[in-house]
Amino acid sequence: MCGIIGIVTKRREGQTAEIAVECLDRLSYRGYDSVGVATLGDNLEVVKMKGKVEDFSHKFDVNSIRGKVILGHTRWATHGPPTDYNAHPHTDCSNSIAVVHNGTIENFRELKAELEMLGHKFKSQTDTEIIPHLIEEFKRRGMDSFSAFKATVNAIEGTYAILAVIRGDNRIYFAKKYNPLVIGIGEDTNYISSDIPSFLPYTKTIVVISDDEVGYLTADSPLNGGVYIEHKGEKIEVNDRIKIINWDAESASKEGYRHFMEKEIMESPRSVKETISGLLADIDEVMKAVKILKDSRRILIVGAGTSYHAGLLFSILLQREGINAIPVIASEYYNYRTSTDDSILAISQSGETLDVRLAMGKFKAEGSKIISLTNVIYSEISRQSDVSLYTSAGPEIGVAATKTFTSQVASLLLLWSAIKDEDFSYLRNAHIVVEDSLSLSGKASAFGEELAKQSNAYFLGRGLSLPLAMEAALKVKEIAYIHSEAYPAGESKHGPIALVTQGFPVIFINGEEDLGLQDNVQEMKARGSKTYSISINKSLNTDREILIKVNDKRLFPLAIAPLIQILAYRSAVIKGTDPDKPRNLAKTVTVR
């Protein structure tokens, strides 16, 4: 996830770049690896660098950057490490076209190879750079600028919000699919951005762009043709889309959601889709990891907190295939000794978790190969790995991991299928499973409202459902401050059931059939428990139940994950706690 901004104005040139940088600063929560702007006047000029927006402002004299058409970008790296040359905007061979992009282009390798055969020279490692070269190529073939832009959009596959400028044309061309893009209408100045907060100080008049729409923006008002949008060749009546919002900046950055945690849960379908697309686009690295894992005597899967639960699920999948996979709580790494015959899978959302880094250091010194799965490209953990894999969840502001956990699970399902030499095309539909799950969020919220009235709870599961039960209990503890514990359901008879009294809440996570959970439900009911369940395909006959239909059961963890997050979130809201900033916790744990 990245932040993009475009501004086209009739005002004096000196203000435009300064305003663009201010807009980028308000978008920096979407990405902060690198930043850049392109200005279009008599010539096209690009200024960009690795670093944050504040670093950019210190390094360059923003007021000296002139132009009445400007693009800006703040990057969350997905293809290529954070460097000056990988920063956006990207240009074509003749430096007459500049592009900023948020998203993932799945077929960029094939397109890049074709363009190179046609003589195009590339300067970066990004997927985005193919866009200006494609526009250039179509213009070489005689197309006008808008036709060339539309042909480019039709050629690419994946997710995108794209802004492009072309020398000699005082327009910003745009296209959207899955990634957010909204227009702001100002006086003599129009804006287009990833998020409303970027231009909120300048206008509250907006036009929302929908998926699969393309168009262009000028400095004129919409009434005078300043905004043109079409969908599959059909012109959209822009004036019907104009809305006036009444948000403050913080509310706007949450896109109407009450908390970032809720917003980030709802972003999970897109995060999962982009994660799968990103891994498939980087399949060579995935297969390097697969070879290391297959050749290993043992696989140690290291993580902390939520990442440990994702790793535990992966370890169960591997163990069922007869592979010696050991889940390791990162802070307990000193209990294990490895060798050159072993491999390590280190999982960390931030890529900086100290316990994971310490574990990696010990195991690497013992000769083990290191594979990492992180959400931050070129983080410390990824840099210290033999093979680095990435989720594409984008920045996560809420402390409790939500979309990052769901994206980790999706990544590990792909890795599991690759290890089994199994066709993993089924994962292209993974985001749809998450979307279907979120359609039941009202029922999960109702569970959370009831749980908020309790002081204690159990979460029980068997098999692959156990790591999900553990994650649910952790989330409820983290943000709602309710004492909740997770156990293997069969283990509940060996002590925990002694605490069950009339009305005690027990939540069953039921992703797999015929593992004995039905008997455990009756045992709890016999002691007076109020039973709940989140079940896949088959009912458990609990007092309250969410039943989800999942056609491909391999994807069931992706159906359960968002619902346990919504359950915990709603419990916190009802109790009046702040789910974005739970007490005593930090987003990245860098202490032992």
Side-chain angles (χ1 to χ4, degrees):
M1 186 164 71
C2 304
I4 62 177
I5 180 71
I7 303 173
V8 56
T9 186
K10 294 180 180 179
R11 297 178 183 176
R12 63 186 181 90
E13 294 184 349
Q15 292 180 318
T16 315
E18 183 180 0
I19 292 171
V21 172
E22 290 175 3
C23 292
L24 286 175
D25 190 46
R26 285 185 285 273
L27 287 171
S28 58
Y29 74 91
R30 297 182 63 87
Y32 36 77
D33 294 328
S34 55
V35 61
V37 298
T39 57
L40 186 61
D42 294 334
N43 295 303
L44 177 65
E45 297 184 13
V46 174
V47 181
K48 58 184 183 177
M49 61 171 286
K50 173 187 174 182
K52 300 180 180 179
V53 175
E54 60 188 69
D55 302 325
F56 183 88
S57 298
H58 291 150
K59 183 174 180 178
F60 299 106
D61 179 7
V62 175
N63 292 322
S64 68
I65 302 173
R66 301 280 173 166
K68 291 193 174 183
V69 183
I70 190 163
L71 301 182
H73 188 277
T74 182
R75 185 175 185 236
W76 179 268
T78 57
H79 289 78
T83 61
D84 291 350
Y85 56 83
N86 282 333
H88 297 215
H90 290 288
T91 57
D92 65 326
C93 295
S94 62
N95 199 47
S96 61
I97 301 165
V99 168
V100 293
H101 164 233
N102 172 29
T104 304
I105 300 173
E106 297 173 6
N107 60 335
F108 86 97
R109 293 181 188 276
E110 300 93 317
L111 292 172
K112 184 176 181 179
E114 292 176 18
L115 288 164
E116 286 176 329
M117 289 180 64
L118 292 168
H120 290 263
K121 305 296 183 183
F122 288 81
K123 301 180 287 269
S124 79
Q125 299 167 303
T126 69
D127 55 346
T128 300
E129 196 183 355
I130 67 162
I131 300 173
H133 287 281
L134 280 170
I135 298 171
E136 179 183 35
E137 182 61 33
F138 286 122
K139 282 179 69 67
R140 282 179 181 173
R141 299 176 187 182
M143 292 186 183
D144 61 70
S145 294
F146 191 34
S147 297
F149 180 76
K150 289 191 289 184
T152 295
V153 172
N154 289 334
I156 62 177
E157 299 172 4
T159 63
Y160 49 78
I162 302 168
L163 303 182
V165 295
I166 301 172
R167 191 166 58 190
D169 200 349
N170 287 330
R171 296 174 174 178
I172 297 174
Y173 296 97
F174 60 81
K176 175 190 182 303
K177 187 171 186 179
Y178 292 115
N179 291 84
L181 204 55
V182 62
I183 293 169
I185 306 298
E187 185 177 348
D188 296 327
T189 304
N190 291 327
Y191 308 82
I192 185 166
S193 178
S194 300
D195 273 345
I196 293 169
S198 62
F199 55 69
L200 195 57
Y202 311 109
T203 181
K204 293 189 176 183
T205 304
I206 68 166
V207 176
V208 176
I209 304 166
S210 299
D211 283 341
D212 297 311
E213 291 183 345
V214 298
Y216 55 80
L217 188 69
T218 73
D220 294 324
S221 74
L223 294 175
N224 294 326
V227 180
Y228 176 85
I229 304 174
E230 65 177 54
H231 180 264
K232 296 182 178 178
E234 296 292 324
K235 181 182 177 181
I236 301 297
E237 184 52 59
V238 173
N239 292 327
D240 294 341
R241 296 257 187 105
I242 296 175
K243 297 181 180 180
I244 309 297
I245 59 168
N246 188 25
W247 295 346
D248 59 30
E250 184 178 11
S251 296
S253 66
K254 295 173 184 173
E255 297 178 2
Y257 293 104
R258 185 172 175 182
H259 297 98
F260 281 110
M261 181 178 179
E262 183 186 19
K263 173 178 178 281
E264 287 156 1
I265 294 170
M266 295 303 172
E267 288 175 342
S268 294
R270 186 174 73 222
S271 297
V272 165
K273 181 177 177 60
E274 293 201 357
T275 291
I276 296 299
S277 296
L279 289 170
L280 291 177
D282 206 17
I283 195 65
D284 291 345
E285 287 301 299
V286 173
M287 298 315 295
K288 285 180 188 176
V290 167
K291 185 177 189 313
I292 291 171
L293 295 172
K294 280 186 170 184
D295 291 345
S296 301
R297 176 177 62 98
R298 298 183 306 170
I299 302 169
L300 276 68
I301 304 166
V302 182
T306 289
S307 295
Y308 171 75
H309 296 153
L312 177 60
L313 187 147
F314 185 55
S315 73
I316 295 171
L317 288 169
L318 295 180
Q319 289 162 7
R320 288 180 174 183
E321 297 300 315
I323 296 170
N324 190 359
I326 303 169
V328 176
I329 296 173
S331 58
E332 295 291 304
Y333 69 91
Y334 41 75
N335 293 321
Y336 300 85
R337 177 176 292 179
T338 64
S339 71
T340 54
D341 296 327
D342 299 324
S343 62
I344 312 300
L345 175 60
I347 307 174
S348 167
Q349 180 275 134
S350 67
E352 302 291 343
T353 309
L354 183 58
D355 288 328
V356 177
R357 289 171 57 184
L358 292 172
M360 285 174 55
K362 177 180 185 295
F363 299 146
K364 194 169 187 176
E366 292 169 346
S368 299
K369 292 281 189 182
I370 309 291
I371 302 162
S372 62
L373 177 66
T374 73
N375 192 46
V376 180
I377 195 168
Y378 218 59
S379 61
E380 184 65 29
I381 285 174
S382 64
R383 290 200 304 271
Q384 297 301 320
S385 302
D386 296 291
V387 178
S388 301
L389 304 178
Y390 299 100
T391 58
S392 301
E396 192 173 58
I397 296 173
V399 167
T402 53
K403 63 178 180 176
T404 52
F405 173 72
T406 312
S407 298
Q408 284 175 348
V409 171
S411 303
L412 295 169
L413 289 175
L414 188 148
L415 195 57
W416 168 62
S417 290
I419 289 170
K420 294 200 304 174
D421 298 316
E422 178 180 74
D423 178 15
F424 38 72
S425 60
Y426 73 98
L427 285 161
R428 293 187 182 276
N429 295 321
H431 66 288
I432 298 174
V433 172
V434 183
E435 288 174 354
D436 292 344
S437 173
L438 286 171
S439 71
L440 300 173
S441 58
K443 293 184 177 181
S445 292
F447 280 18
E449 290 172 10
E450 293 191 16
L451 188 60
K453 302 170 187 176
Q454 304 292 331
S455 300
N456 303 281
Y458 283 155
F459 287 84
L460 303 182
R462 286 177 178 260
L464 291 168
S465 297
L466 177 59
L468 295 163
M470 295 169 69
E471 177 62 11
L474 175 63
K475 283 289 170 285
V476 170
K477 280 196 283 268
E478 279 183 316
I479 64 171
Y481 312 148
I482 297 169
H483 178 244
S484 51
E485 299 297 335
Y487 291 97
E491 190 67 13
S492 63
K493 301 185 295 293
H494 299 277
I497 201 168
L499 298 182
V500 175
T501 55
Q502 192 67 34
F504 189 103
V506 179
I507 299 95
F508 289 86
I509 306 300
N510 176 31
E512 300 183 282
E513 301 171 7
D514 304 323
L515 290 180
L517 276 179
Q518 193 67 252
D519 292 339
N520 302 132
V521 170
Q522 297 309 314
E523 292 161 0
M524 291 299 169
K525 282 187 174 183
R527 274 78 179 174
S529 168
K530 177 120 183 230
T531 56
Y532 302 77
S533 60
I534 300 174
S535 295
I536 302 297
N537 296 340
K538 183 177 180 181
S539 174
L540 272 184
N541 299 311
T542 50
D543 297 314
R544 298 282 302 277
E545 184 169 52
I546 302 173
L547 186 60
I548 315 166
K549 177 68 174 176
V550 178
N551 291 326
D552 192 321
K553 285 197 64 181
R554 290 172 292 184
L555 297 173
F556 90 79
L558 300 177
I560 289 176
L563 295 178
I564 60 179
Q565 294 162 4
I566 288 286
L567 183 158
Y569 169 76
R570 190 60 184 165
S571 295
V573 170
I574 293 298
K575 290 196 68 178
T577 65
D578 184 349
D580 288 340
K581 299 175 182 177
R583 67 190 181 207
N584 303 330
L585 297 178
K587 186 65 181 171
T588 303
V589 180
T590 56
V591 295
R592 297 187 70 174

